[in-house]
Amino acid sequence: MQSPVLQHRVYPLVGAAPSRRRLAAGIALGLALIYMPSTGFAQDANQQTEMSSSASAKKDAKADEKKKVDDKKDVQNLDGVTVTGIRASLESSQSLKQNASQIVDSVTATDMNALPDRSVTETLQRISGVTVDHFLADNDPDHPSSEGSGVLIRGLPYVASQLNGRDSFSANNGRSLGFEDVPAELMAGVDVYKNPSAELIEGGIAGTVNLRTRMPFDNPGQVISFSTGINEGDMAKKSKPSASFLYSNRWKSDSLGEFGALFDVSYSELASRNDGIQTNPYVMRPNATDTAYYAPNIAAGSPTSTVYVPGDINWLEMQMQRRRIGLYGALQWRPTNDLEFYSQFFRSDYNLEWDQHNVQTNESAYNNVLPAPGTAFNYNSQGIFQSGTIASNAWRGDPSMGIPDGYVNYYTDNRIQHQHTRTTDWSNGFKYNINDHMLLSGDFQFVKSTSDMQDFSVFGQFYMPPAQVSVAGTPSLTLADPSYLANPGNYYLGAAMDHLEYDYAVQRTARLDLEYNFQDSHWLQFFRVGVRATNRDASSNNTGGNYNWGPISQIWSASNYTSTGLDWFNQIPSWMSQQYSMSNFYRGAKLPTTLWFPSYALVSNYAKAIQALYAIESPGGWQAQVPGLPGENNHQDEDTKAIYGSLYFGSEDALGIPFDGNIGLRYVKTDVSANGAIQFPSSSNISGSTANLTPAQLALFSGAYVPISGEGSYHNLLPSLNVRFKLTDELQLRLAASKAMTRPDINQLNSYMKLGASWGGPAGQEPTITGWTASTGGNPNLKPLEANQFDSALEWYFSPTGMLYTTVFYKKIKNYITNEVTTETIQGQDFAVTGPRNAGDGNVKGVEAGYSQFFDFLPGAWKGLGVQANYTFLRSSKIAGTTSCDPDHANGSCGADYIVTNPPLPMAGLSQNSYNLIGMYEYGNWSARVAWSWRSRYLITAEDSGDTYLPMWNDAYGQLDASVFYHINKNMQVGLQMNNLTNATTRVLMGPASYVNGVVDPNLYTRAIFENDRRYELVFRATF
């Protein structure tokens, strides 16, 4: 099966002309298939299912010579040549790259139901210029993932995703498929396009990833394939199954032509564990004697008068359970040699649950951290904290509550998140040779995706006695009396937090393409023109827009100033709390790992927990989210219309060397509208004195939802040029230039704003408003990102499985999007509004190089050795410094008067250096593969949305994976797949830190270190 837009497909015509009855029957059934899914409009760049006109088989000898490699590959697919093994996979992928009409890299499944890696994301990271994030979300540095998530091409996240050449997506992932949602077992191959032609659907200025599935006509007859396996992680210590089954066949009928059917199903589970240690942000602390915030002479022992002190450390364990079900079916019918109909159905069902036990400091301002009485902190030569006995001078309520001064406020947080994503993609189409030199093709596509998410946390609280803390090497925390943590009477239920989401999206697409072949031209090969239109309805019900935190019992609540007011663990129902041990935490880190937490029975049953917590919480405490409140549902409608034309040309001798290529233009018009609301704060958000508020300001606490809407419209002209010069039969030079665009993510276009106020003031006094804030869910007026891009590639194919290539590229990007703070006036009050804006322009440039070869010249079994290697160097311009509202570095306030300007930063996701090194062996009945992937430091997000409000970076990261298989016979094999053999550490860095007085701390401090499982899977495969 070929990847889209790779070549001009040829289906030879044989036999006599069909009868009118057969032709009429074919058209009638084809039209019925087309109109079953929906009545939308779409265009498909999927040449995989494209039948070329009969004229292609009648071209003169010179034209046939130009396309002989492409035509041979098509005949191979029709005749059902099935390739297996590492060597055959490389040969197929290399042939696709060599004969493509544009710059593309491919990975082909080595066997039925088996990409080289266990997931699509892990497969993609082996391609030059492609990197993946190892987090559950690409902007969430607190939750690593064992399989990776976001896919970046040449350091950019703006990747278009396609399934068999058609646009596809996941509802919770905006415009792209969540590649971790897609079962790798259903894939025949993966293609990555880096500089498009006009036929390719717009949307990826980074590139386009196309996932290919099989079709029944790919094989000459019946194929039955299945696999089964069991996997386990060395930290999770839970065995989980996987299985897949494929059946494909084709039949001929004298009266109705040829039929084909394929069915493919997969099921897999994964259990993994991740341990992490976090250091809270370092705050610049002068050597002051203001005891409200600083310890006297806090810089004692430091060579500098200004020191940098972290807000203590956190540690967490996350247990993850993942279940992924995939279903794929395909029908093909060729009633005549000139007509073909097809139908493809794909469904991915992804369930993820993770349970996190987190021990986290809860000091309201990191300035409260200071040395315990009679001690001093240890600093390095730059005045950066290294170790010391940490205490707190924060207010602790009435002394009768029995909480000693100096103890540090901590959470024991039990958090459980459930996520279910389902994506259905149904496409029906046709191909019809109108005459000897014209081909008409088209199809209709219906995509529906839904995503449910429930995130619920309950926080226990306790006060940590002054503890010896070290951040050198692996951070540690040691208590003089560990028994303190074993007493449930030292913990109480402090708070709860929930977050509910439901995302829904439907897209109806249709396309129509016409191809005209030039039979008598020495320059022109063929011309394609097509139209495409889409309609997408998307809605997001995101309760409250943010995470809904509320108190259960707190010392700062007036009703809890007595010891009976707090919900101590030894006083609440026993089922609501439990002692939990983090077994062999971080493979032996020196931290307290047995503590009391809210119980799994409480947190895992959201409905039961609501009633139980209501029964014991203080007045005005936490209230659960109520789905479907007015204004919380954001609805968007987007229509696109596109038309393109592409001319393919080539000559053997016009320029002295053979060359071919294509030039094209694509025009796209986009209309988008969004409906949402402004949510005003309610009276329950009043946390202090209102004496200084005006009546107009008090009126803002109405809790009202005021409807708002927005819309945008824009059009783009996207020219493209791809030229290939065949310097020799083995050496070729490619030149490519194009303009690409990426629409803003769906969540960036939300029409939603939530208003709020920041409360603060001197310790011991009732808080007052220190600033008015607002956050927007999106901005419907955002412009699309655009990129002018240029590539030059030199490729040497010196054997069927041997190549050496290098590519130089440059992208000039316009309308880069980032979050910023602006001041807006709403009902007479100035608000500091945080939301997405088009921030400006930038550029990315770099070099890719790759090499692969089997050493066939070696003697005997040594000839089974092979190697693949690729390297990418990237450099980007820095994006102008964004503005942010930083409460921790603004002394507890977050209003218009506390906006800080961050220094310029590189584009998020871009590693300057990355490479893959893969060793291969295939000889006799054995095949093996060892793969090392590495990337240098990159920016995760310009502003962490959690507790730090700082830029977050992923430090350099490398991971070693391997597999070994033994072929029992030509039909069956057994093997072992292994991941993360070197126990890689994910290290997150934070900084630089900006302050409201303009001072910038340029240091990058370690925010977190994470360790994940080593994973092993025993696999059995069979194909008949």
Side-chain angles (χ1 to χ4, degrees), residues 33 75 77 159 223 297 312 462-463 652-653 726 798 955:
L33 284 172
V75 172
N77 277 341
V159 176
V223 175
N297 196 23
D312 220 323
F462 72 98
Y463 289 86
E652 292 292 317
D653 49 22
K726 299 179 181 178
F798 52 84
D955 207 0

Side-chain angles (χ1 to χ4, degrees), residues 38-42 169 445-447 505-510 532-538 636-641 671:
S38 61
T39 56
F41 300 94
F169 55 88
Q445 179 194 21
F446 176 80
V447 182
V506 170
Q507 180 169 295
R508 300 168 179 86
T509 0
R532 176 178 184 262
T534 73
N535 171 257
R536 177 182 294 197
D537 289 313
Q636 295 181 39
D637 184 82
E638 183 179 270
D639 296 309
T640 73
K641 299 176 179 65
D671 296 289

Side-chain angles (χ1 to χ4, degrees), residues 564-881:
T564 58
L566 293 175
D567 293 318
W568 298 100
F569 278 12
N570 61 351
Q571 297 175 4
I572 62 176
S574 59
W575 70 273
M576 298 177 70
S577 64
Q578 69 180 122
Q579 192 175 42
Y580 183 84
S581 293
M582 304 178 189
S583 175
N584 191 30
F585 180 78
Y586 207 83
R587 306 188 193 273
K590 193 176 181 181
L591 289 159
T593 55
T594 299
L595 302 96
W596 283 82
F597 289 83
S599 68
Y600 181 84
L602 175 70
V603 184
S604 64
N605 192 328
Y606 180 59
K608 182 179 179 181
I610 291 173
Q611 299 306 315
L613 295 177
Y614 283 177
I616 65 173
E617 71 180 13
S618 60
W622 172 78
Q623 295 292 306
Q625 297 276 23
V626 180
L629 289 176
E632 290 182 351
N633 182 61
N634 190 280
H635 180 263
Q636 295 181 39
D637 184 82
E638 183 179 270
D639 296 309
T640 73
K641 299 176 179 65
I643 184 171
Y644 80 88
S646 186
L647 178 65
Y648 284 73
F649 55 85
S651 176
E652 292 292 317
D653 49 22
L655 299 179
I657 56 173
F659 74 95
D660 58 16
N662 59 79
I663 185 170
L665 180 65
R666 188 178 190 90
Y667 172 81
V668 187
K669 186 176 187 298
T670 306
D671 296 289
V672 61
S673 62
N675 298 297
I678 297 178
Q679 179 185 352
F680 285 80
S682 69
S683 57
S684 63
N685 299 125
I686 298 176
S687 302
S689 172
T690 60
N692 296 324
L693 298 183
T694 66
Q697 290 173 329
L698 276 173
L700 292 173
F701 292 92
S702 64
Y705 289 86
V706 177
I708 57 173
S709 61
E711 60 183 26
S713 180
Y714 49 86
H715 59 86
N716 300 90
L717 277 172
L718 308 174
S720 64
L721 173 66
N722 291 272
V723 183
R724 175 177 59 166
F725 297 94
K726 299 179 181 178
L727 306 179
T728 69
D729 290 341
E730 299 175 341
L731 185 65
Q732 59 188 34
L733 172 68
R734 294 183 184 271
L735 300 175
S738 67
K739 185 174 184 179
M741 61 89 78
T742 292
R743 298 180 181 91
D745 282 343
I746 294 295
N747 59 4
Q748 292 177 320
L749 296 171
N750 284 346
S751 185
Y752 177 81
M753 181 181 292
K754 183 175 183 178
L755 306 183
S758 296
W759 298 80
Q765 296 184 17
E766 191 171 5
T768 59
I769 289 181
T770 56
W772 297 86
T773 63
S775 59
T776 63
N779 179 0
N781 296 314
L782 288 174
K783 299 177 183 178
L785 285 79
E786 299 177 347
N788 294 321
Q789 45 197 27
F790 306 91
D791 283 69
S792 176
L794 187 63
E795 303 166 351
W796 179 31
Y797 300 93
F798 52 84
S799 77
T801 56
M803 66 176 172
L804 179 66
Y805 65 89
T806 184
T807 304
V808 180
F809 58 88
Y810 175 83
K811 293 178 183 284
K812 176 66 176 179
I813 300 173
K814 181 181 178 182
N815 297 331
Y816 189 82
I817 298 173
T818 188
N819 278 346
E820 289 192 347
V821 176
T822 57
T823 300
E824 296 185 25
T825 302
I826 301 173
Q827 293 191 6
Q829 180 62 52
D830 288 342
F831 284 81
V833 181
T834 302
R837 299 286 187 274
N838 291 110
D841 303 342
N843 64 73
V844 177
K845 51 191 174 183
V847 178
E848 297 170 356
Y851 161 73
S852 70
Q853 182 179 15
F854 269 100
F855 303 124
D856 297 318
F857 53 85
L858 295 175
W862 292 103
K863 68 177 59 176
L865 289 172
V867 67
Q868 284 182 287
N870 60 64
Y871 167 75
T872 303
F873 172 82
L874 297 173
R875 179 164 291 176
S876 76
S877 59
K878 292 188 175 182
I879 303 300

Side-chain angles (χ1 to χ4, degrees), residues 195-233:
N195 206 319
S197 60
E199 295 105 312
L200 200 67
I201 298 172
E202 74 283 348
I205 64 172
T208 297
V209 173
N210 179 55
L211 307 180
R212 287 183 280 118
T213 57
R214 291 178 170 84
M215 294 290 282
F217 285 176
D218 291 347
N219 299 287
Q222 177 176 278
V223 175
I224 299 175
S225 178
F226 66 89
S227 68
T228 184
I230 186 166
N231 67 83
E232 184 171 310

